[in-house]
Amino acid sequence: MRRSTRAVLAAASAGLLLAACGVGADPVQNPKLSEDEVTISMNWWGADARTQQTLDAIELFEEEHPNITVEPQYADWVGYWDRLATTTAGGDMPDVSQFDALYLASYAERGALLDLSTVSNILNTSALPDNILDTGRVGGDLYAVPTGATTNGVLINTSLFEQYGVEIPDTDDWTWEEFERAAVELTEASDGEVHGMSPWGSDSFSLTVWARQHGGQLFDAEGDLALDPDLLASYWHRTLDFIDSGAAPSVAQIIEGDGLPLDQVSVVTGKSAMSFIPAGQFIAYQSAAPDFNYDLANWPTDGDTREGFQYLKPSMYWSAASTTEHPAEAALLIDFLTNDTRVAELFGLDRGEPGNPAFREAAEPHLDDAGRESLAFTEAMADEVGDTPPIIPNGASDIDALLKRYYQQVLFGDASPEDAAEACLSELQDSINATG
């Protein structure tokens, strides 16, 4: 089964199972650590390297707290959310879980997550800047501690530009016209063997940045859709323009590459030279294509682009279950993962650029060139970011799956960008309303 289809099914099953999820009793304020033997479970998604790093961190934690045993649980992205929905519905959610912004509000508003203010006697979040920490709040309450945050950037395969003799514009102040012209020039210089860029179309991160460039946003503070359908239509029109100009691959090539693992996407295999990515994934792309050299750049702009269009999107979070029988120990583990700099040395930038400044300082000496470039880009963008947008609301967890479905209709010519945008946003609002 294709990954994209599995993702849709996972989101749907998660919503059905969460509707009846078990929730914990009223949490104890300022719980005390037990002196007895305690076992808690810790749950995360990721590849083998992340799993080994996390197991090493667990070993350090258990050495520090010999009466606490941490039971590891892990899976790939889709399997992770399937299993988490099932265990949560059965009242057996893992004590500590890695979380994503897509699902945070859904679980928090159904009472599945522990209000972390109740364990503030153990969990210290003071090292995290407010604009990062606040991304873990739902309805004003803290349900998740961000591991870090990242902006969106343009990944540029400089090796391909050098190979075909195409000059990269000055990315410190480039325009959309300059971006597209460089992409078309590379396509033509390679006789179509390489396309200048891979277009967007179905991820909420790039859509949010696009909307913010034009003064819009996806959701409002009340959890309703705030995106003008014309903005979503313009996002898809831009992709069609890229295809028509030759900057981007054909529709058939885009569809063929949909859902591929990272090591097979066109910007890694050398079939395209630029792509819009979460900047925190730069290391993963560079590691997947060691024969190429990559740079990161901010998005192109136009004369009417709004300032502060970039924002810090949380990489991922740590959360605790409302059903945990050991809230103090769960909080202690999250505190360890958030504040112990030995964890930073183990994790590096695997879970994004650390939100804790001490983590960044501890991780930097252990980073390779790609890691240092990724960190430098994030630090350089610190003065460019605007306010963090409202969190993805309950009922909107499948936004990326919806975007993908309607984006494909646009690509195949089954719907105009305007009609697809109206239908997509209507369906998304209905999903949000159904949770109210």
Side-chain angles (χ1 to χ4, degrees), residues 7 39 107 122 151 176 187 247 290 301 395 419-420 423:
T39 298
Y107 278 76
I122 296 172
T151 58
W176 282 110
T187 302
T301 60
D419 289 344

Side-chain angles (χ1 to χ4, degrees), residues 88-105:
T88 303
D92 193 29
M93 186 179 184
D95 297 283
V96 173
S97 290
Q98 188 175 290
F99 248 83
D100 185 82
L102 279 174
Y103 297 98
L104 181 59

Side-chain angles (χ1 to χ4, degrees), residues 203-247:
D203 77 277
S204 54
F205 194 180
S206 65
L207 174 58
T208 301
V209 178
W210 174 258
R212 288 164 65 95
Q213 279 206 339
H214 298 83
Q217 61 180 357
L218 266 64
F219 305 103
D220 60 26
E222 286 70 45
D224 288 318
L225 268 176
L227 183 63
D228 189 318
D230 287 342
L231 265 183
L232 177 53
S234 71
Y235 171 77
W236 285 329
H237 269 299
R238 177 63 68 147
T239 288
L240 295 179
D241 291 342
F242 288 146
I243 296 171
D244 289 343
S245 70

Side-chain angles (χ1 to χ4, degrees), residues 30-311:
N30 300 325
K32 303 300 181 185
L33 292 167
S34 175
E35 296 180 358
D36 298 330
E37 297 289 325
V38 171
T39 298
I40 58 175
S41 51
M42 177 181 171
N43 191 30
W44 68 91
W45 73 83
D48 292 345
R50 176 178 297 168
T51 291
Q52 189 56 57
Q53 294 163 2
T54 311
L55 293 174
D56 291 343
I58 288 173
E59 184 176 349
L60 283 177
F61 178 79
E62 291 177 335
E63 289 174 359
E64 191 91 1
H65 306 283
N67 69 311
I68 304 176
T69 298
V70 179
E71 180 183 273
Q73 301 176 10
Y74 44 89
D76 65 12
W77 169 262
V78 175
Y80 181 87
W81 296 107
D82 283 340
R83 187 178 67 190
L84 187 62
T86 303
T87 56
T88 303
D92 193 29
M93 186 179 184
D95 297 283
V96 173
S97 290
Q98 188 175 290
F99 248 83
D100 185 82
L102 279 174
Y103 297 98
L104 181 59
S106 296
Y107 278 76
E109 291 188 4
R110 289 178 171 92
L113 301 181
L114 182 68
D115 179 351
L116 296 177
S117 69
T118 64
V119 291
S120 60
N121 60 316
I122 296 172
L123 173 56
N124 181 4
T125 60
S126 62
L128 297 175
D130 288 343
N131 64 336
I132 293 179
L133 183 62
D134 288 348
T135 65
R137 299 186 187 278
V138 179
D141 295 323
L142 185 67
Y143 289 100
V145 177
T147 63
T150 186
T151 58
N152 206 288
V154 181
L155 180 70
I156 305 173
N157 187 326
T158 58
S159 299
L160 290 177
F161 278 93
E162 291 174 5
Q163 178 180 343
Y164 291 105
V166 176
E167 183 178 354
I168 301 172
D170 180 0
T171 59
D172 288 336
D173 190 27
W174 57 345
T175 66
W176 282 110
E177 182 181 356
E178 291 171 332
F179 169 84
E180 186 169 8
R181 183 167 62 244
V184 171
E185 287 177 3
L186 195 145
T187 302
E188 293 175 347
S190 69
D191 292 327
E193 289 296 316
V194 177
H195 282 86
M197 54 88 66
S198 298
W200 56 51
S202 60
D203 77 277
S204 54
F205 194 180
S206 65
L207 174 58
T208 301
V209 178
W210 174 258
R212 288 164 65 95
Q213 279 206 339
H214 298 83
Q217 61 180 357
L218 266 64
F219 305 103
D220 60 26
E222 286 70 45
D224 288 318
L225 268 176
L227 183 63
D228 189 318
D230 287 342
L231 265 183
L232 177 53
S234 71
Y235 171 77
W236 285 329
H237 269 299
R238 177 63 68 147
T239 288
L240 295 179
D241 291 342
F242 288 146
I243 296 171
D244 289 343
S245 70
S250 67
V251 169
Q253 290 169 315
I254 292 172
I255 294 299
E256 183 180 353
D258 181 45
L260 292 175
L262 184 143
D263 63 351
Q264 297 177 34
V265 299
S266 61
V267 76
V268 169
T269 61
K271 293 300 183 182
S272 67
M274 295 186 288
S275 185
F276 299 87
I277 69 165
Q281 294 181 4
F282 177 76
I283 298 173
Y285 280 90
Q286 183 64 82
S287 299
D291 294 335
F292 292 128
N293 291 319
Y294 292 94
D295 278 344
L296 267 175
N298 195 4
W299 278 36
T301 60
D302 283 327
D304 59 352
T305 298
R306 303 294 181 92
E307 292 186 0
F309 63 86
Q310 288 281 8
Y311 71 101

